[in-house]
Amino acid sequence: MQEPETRRPPAHAVWRWALIGLVVAGFAAAFGYVGGWLAPGRLTPKRIIDALQANGGEHPGFRRNHAKGICVAGRFESSGALAAYSTAPLFAPGDTPVVGRLAIPGGNPYAADSSVPIRSFALRFDLADGEQWRTGMNAMPVFPVSTAQAFYDLQLATHPDPATGKPDPAKPKAFFAAHPETAAFLAWIKTAKPSASYVTETYQSINAFYLRDAAEQRHAVRWKVVPEQPASGDGGPAAGDPDYLAADLAKRLGEGPLRWHLQMVFAAEGDPVDDATKVWPADRRTVDAGTIVIDRMQAQDDGPCRDVNYDPTILPRGIEVSNDPLLVARSAAYADSYLRRTSEEGHLPGTASPKENHP
Amino acid sequence: MSHADTFHPFARVLHWLMALAILSMLFVGAGMVTSVEARHAWLLAIHKPLGITIFVLALIRLGFRLTHPAPPLPADMPEWQKLAAHASHWLLYGLMIAMPLIGWGMLSAGNYPVTLGAGLRLPPILPSDAALFAWLREAHRYLAWLFFLTFLAHIGAALMHGLIRRDGVLQSMTGGRRSA
């Protein structure tokens, strides 16, 4: 340009360079802090999934929790009874297709069905307008802990000792002693038995949500899906079969579709909306929103549920998250698990390949 | 100060608006994927609509830039610096446009609804494909890193022009008086 010949070196050049360096380093440090690299104590989604993976073992391609499961599909037949409380289009009378997954907790996809007394049911409702509702429910009344940090600490406390393959009993004991909020869960699990079937269980959202009605009013709810199938009469699990749940499901689906009722339970004044360790009294107003009809199943290796992240914060208009901190934590952690398993499926560099055949 | 030495006022407004938006976006992204707290949810709620805003602004800006050339760099700048300046500017343009598209495409491939809040939802731009999701998600991460490093180089170079060389390049974007 015009003036390069007249330009002289600046005064205090060292300080000027130092200022430039400081600005650049300041931005880098701030980014490093926000991104967690300079904040090693922060609980991140990665650390939660690492802890689950450490407990469940390395199983490329599988979910890091609830690793063992089966894809199911069918529809939701809305009764219309909930339409007054939520503008979500699926609650108007009519059918909405669902892609679901029945599973057991834990990170080992080869665990015996009798190894845990809990079953889970995840659903994705595909609304006609392109919206989705995803929910992951468990057949238990409460969650053991109310925060992500406590969940993480529970994973560490129940980490199997490499020498024995079992957790050091002192650690869970110390954890539960330090976490009195686990009392309701511990009281329940003491008498809980592994069910012989997925289809006789009642699955609960456990976390609370809000419904939003047409008048913009919010209603705090939890939901559960209650089976039409009676709990008795199937004679218990087949002895020696670690995969009896899948066999039972196939047998029952061979006889006809399976049905659950989607029941919305409304909180009363004072019921905890942000604490999954606390039950609501049994007399709360309940609205039967309709029937979930499951008419087919498929192995998860190539079934339609395999690549679904059942993130419970993916909601249609008319349903909103509550302030329950577990919901955000589940969303963040599921995303990390989903990226790991899809990276393994996609054979991204640096990832372990899923096994083609299961033992 | 001649008009040929500074960017058009519209280009300057866009530059500073987008500088704020993009820097916010990089911090929002880095913060949201490393948090399990409540901020994860509200950062995510900012990330998607802000990303689309940046995408739209970037297209407008690219169109304006192609029709309104930038002021020339000082003649005495070493060739390698000129090359670095041009390359980094086009890299920034590329990232401004590619990052939102990759984010949008990655959510599409993951079969997530692409919600922007307030009931707004974008259509999927890619078929549902888990492996494609994983590739795009990782590309989003590494290109965000590249974006941030390019930003550091950009701000470092801008300050070098303004404080060391004092050659008017910084002022061509700030619009202030050129140094004597």
Side-chain angles (χ1 to χ4, degrees), chain A:
Chain A
M1 285 200 207
Q2 304 91 329
E3 61 222 298
E5 306 314 320
T6 63
R7 202 168 55 239
R8 287 158 299 156
H12 313 295
V14 172
W15 290 109
R16 287 164 184 266
W17 279 113
L19 180 63
I20 295 170
L22 203 64
V23 169
V24 171
F27 273 112
F31 195 66
Y33 175 75
V34 169
W37 305 281
L38 299 180
R42 185 184 308 160
L43 183 59
T44 60
K46 178 179 182 297
R47 287 177 67 201
I48 290 180
I49 299 302
D50 283 347
L52 286 166
Q53 198 166 294
N55 288 6
E58 305 264 336
H59 302 288
F62 287 93
R63 284 167 165 81
R64 268 41 179 186
N65 197 5
H66 296 249
K68 184 182 187 183
I70 306 169
C71 296
V72 294
R75 63 190 180 277
F76 169 61
E77 298 175 347
S78 172
S79 67
L82 205 65
Y85 304 97
S86 169
T87 54
L90 84 163
F91 294 130
D95 289 5
T96 301
V98 299
V99 173
R101 187 169 180 274
L102 291 158
I104 62 171
N108 179 4
Y110 313 112
D113 291 340
S114 58
S115 62
V116 276
I118 299 166
R119 282 76 175 92
S120 65
F121 194 5
L123 286 168
R124 189 189 75 207
F125 299 74
D126 293 316
L127 280 65
D129 65 359
E131 289 185 287
Q132 296 178 6
W133 175 23
R134 303 188 188 186
T135 178
M137 299 168 287
N138 283 290
M140 59 190 195
V142 287
F143 203 67
V145 292
S146 55
T147 64
Q149 184 67 51
F151 179 78
Y152 176 72
D153 293 341
L154 175 60
Q155 302 315 309
L156 297 189
T158 53
H159 179 62
D161 184 327
T164 63
K166 287 189 161 47
D168 171 359
K171 286 185 180 169
K173 197 163 172 255
F175 175 85
F176 290 117
H179 288 270
E181 77 274 19
T182 55
F185 176 81
L186 292 177
W188 170 77
I189 203 155
K190 204 181 283 179
T191 59
K193 292 194 172 49
S195 74
S197 175
Y198 279 127
V199 311
T200 55
E201 296 280 275
T202 294
Y203 298 91
Q204 320 222 26
S205 72
I206 302 176
N207 303 117
F209 293 79
Y210 290 107
L211 301 182
R212 176 88 58 181
D213 67 25
E216 293 286 317
Q217 289 296 307
R218 249 177 22 166
H219 310 275
V221 293
R222 288 172 174 171
W223 56 76
K224 54 185 177 182
V225 296
V226 182
E228 275 191 7
Q229 296 74 229
S232 57
D234 70 337
D241 179 5
D243 304 318
Y244 59 80
L245 288 171
D248 170 83
L249 185 64
K251 178 170 131 308
R252 288 171 182 266
L253 276 173
E255 293 159 6
L258 302 162
R259 291 186 163 80
W260 282 264
H261 286 265
L262 173 62
Q263 300 199 336
M264 274 301 157
V265 181
F266 287 75
E269 195 65 39
D271 286 345
V273 175
D274 56 359
D275 188 344
T277 64
K278 296 200 168 57
V279 290
W280 292 351
D283 63 354
R284 291 294 175 254
R285 185 163 53 102
T286 299
V287 172
D288 190 328
T291 312
I292 290 155
V293 182
I294 295 299
D295 54 17
R296 53 198 187 276
M297 65 181 276
Q298 198 173 336
Q300 65 172 348
D301 309 44
D302 54 0
C305 73
R306 184 190 67 184
D307 297 332
V308 181
N309 168 5
Y310 287 99
D311 176 340
T313 66
I314 296 179
L315 303 164
R317 81 190 116 103
I319 312 178
E320 297 165 14
V321 290
S322 68
N323 285 328
D324 185 334
L326 287 179
L327 282 173
V328 179
R330 286 173 70 184
S331 178
Y334 288 21
D336 192 275
S337 168
Y338 186 64
L339 176 58
R340 292 190 199 197
R341 60 196 175 86
T342 53
S343 296
E344 290 152 0
E345 265 178 48
H347 304 284
L348 264 63
T351 62
S353 291
K355 292 182 193 136
E356 296 304 326
N357 294 302
H358 297 166

